[in-house]
């Protein structure tokens, strides 16, 4: 297994640890000053999510630069992203931080795209993530980070930054899903 694929696998391993810090009732105290406080367990979850997100960028960069692109990487990298992002969004919906319908849209797109990838894989094709899908993932991760550090006093014209980023992520989720199916429609046509 090459270094890019090891980074992808490490991202998958970080997910349960991230969820323990986010969801488990761990009282580690709070950190912050100037009216900004954050439970330490949530701060650890936030930093772990950032590290996992950086591995997403890093594994792709290494794979392209060192010509280490593999079928395993093409399949597992987007899967690791989905697992990481979905675990955070589902947790936030359960915690009442974001609207469930937004999570349903994101989940539906991810399941539909994964289904299309599985159909393609059954025919011997591996479909890599497109550029719009990469932007979608980037904004989803930014939105999650902003929710993890939700007490940070940022906003745009009185509208919280985390909500702005979430709306951008949802819109890109819809657009990238439509783009993905349009560009790979021949896979569906062949499978009839």
């Amino acid at each position: 297994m090459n270094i890019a694929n090891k980074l992808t696998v490490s991202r998958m391993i970080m997910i349960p640890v991230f969820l323990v810090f986010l969801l488990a009732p761990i009282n580690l105290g709070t950190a912050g000053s100037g009216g900004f406080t954050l439970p330490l367990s949530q701060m650890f979850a936030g930093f772990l999510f950032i590290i996992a997100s950086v591995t997403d960028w890093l594994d792709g960069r290494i794979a392209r630069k060192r010509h280490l692109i593999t079928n395993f990487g093409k399949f597992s990298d987007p899967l690791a992203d989905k697992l990481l992002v979905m675990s955070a969004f589902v947790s936030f919906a359960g915690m009442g931080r974001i609207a469930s319908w937004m999570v349903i849209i994101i989940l539906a797109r991810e399941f539909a795209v994964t289904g299309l990838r599985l159909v393609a894989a059954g025919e011997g094709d591996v479909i890599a993530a497109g550029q719009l899908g990469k932007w979608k993932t980037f904004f989803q991760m930014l939105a999650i980070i902003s929710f993890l550090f939700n007490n940070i006093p940022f906003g745009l014209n009185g509208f919280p930054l985390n909500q702005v980023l979430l709306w951008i992520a949802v819109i890109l989720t819809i657009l990238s899903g439509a783009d993905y199916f349009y560009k790979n429609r021949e896979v569906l046509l062949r499978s009839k």
Side-chain angles (χ1 to χ4, degrees), residues 109-143:
R109 185 266 187 208
E110 300 306 346
F111 281 124
V113 167
T114 299
L116 180 61
R117 277 200 170 118
L118 290 173
V119 169
E123 296 179 1
D125 296 328
V126 176
I127 303 172
Q131 193 61 40
L132 196 54
K134 291 176 183 180
W135 278 107
K136 176 262 319 173
T137 300
F138 175 75
F139 274 96
Q140 285 178 344
M141 289 180 173
L142 275 181

Side-chain angles (χ1 to χ4, degrees), residues 44-176:
F44 289 146
F47 287 127
L48 191 58
F49 188 89
I50 290 169
I51 292 167
S53 298
V54 169
T55 68
D56 177 40
W57 171 80
L58 193 58
D59 66 9
R61 183 174 171 89
I62 290 171
R64 286 186 296 277
K65 185 176 181 179
R66 297 185 185 176
H67 305 289
L68 300 174
I69 297 172
T70 64
N71 283 343
F72 175 82
K74 286 180 186 177
F75 182 76
S76 63
D77 179 61
L79 179 62
D81 297 341
K82 287 173 183 25
L83 292 172
L84 178 64
V85 167
M86 290 299 89
S87 65
F89 279 135
V90 169
S91 297
F92 291 155
M95 298 163 82
R97 291 189 185 177
I98 63 175
S100 296
W101 68 266
M102 291 179 147
V103 176
I104 291 168
I105 287 173
I106 294 168
L107 277 170
R109 185 266 187 208
E110 300 306 346
F111 281 124
V113 167
T114 299
L116 180 61
R117 277 200 170 118
L118 290 173
V119 169
E123 296 179 1
D125 296 328
V126 176
I127 303 172
Q131 193 61 40
L132 196 54
K134 291 176 183 180
W135 278 107
K136 176 262 319 173
T137 300
F138 175 75
F139 274 96
Q140 285 178 344
M141 289 180 173
L142 275 181
I144 290 166
I145 291 167
S146 71
F147 275 95
L148 286 166
F149 297 98
N150 65 339
N151 292 331
I152 297 175
F154 292 129
L156 268 60
N157 295 326
F159 200 70
L161 179 61
N162 54 9
Q163 292 294 325
V164 171
L165 292 171
L166 180 61
W167 274 98
I168 292 170
V170 169
I171 290 166
L172 286 173
T173 296
I174 294 166
L175 293 176
S176 67

Side-chain angles (χ1 to χ4, degrees), residues 24-42:
I26 303 171
N27 186 357
L28 300 174
T30 58
S33 62
F36 164 70
T37 60
L38 190 67
L40 285 176
S41 60
Q42 185 172 327

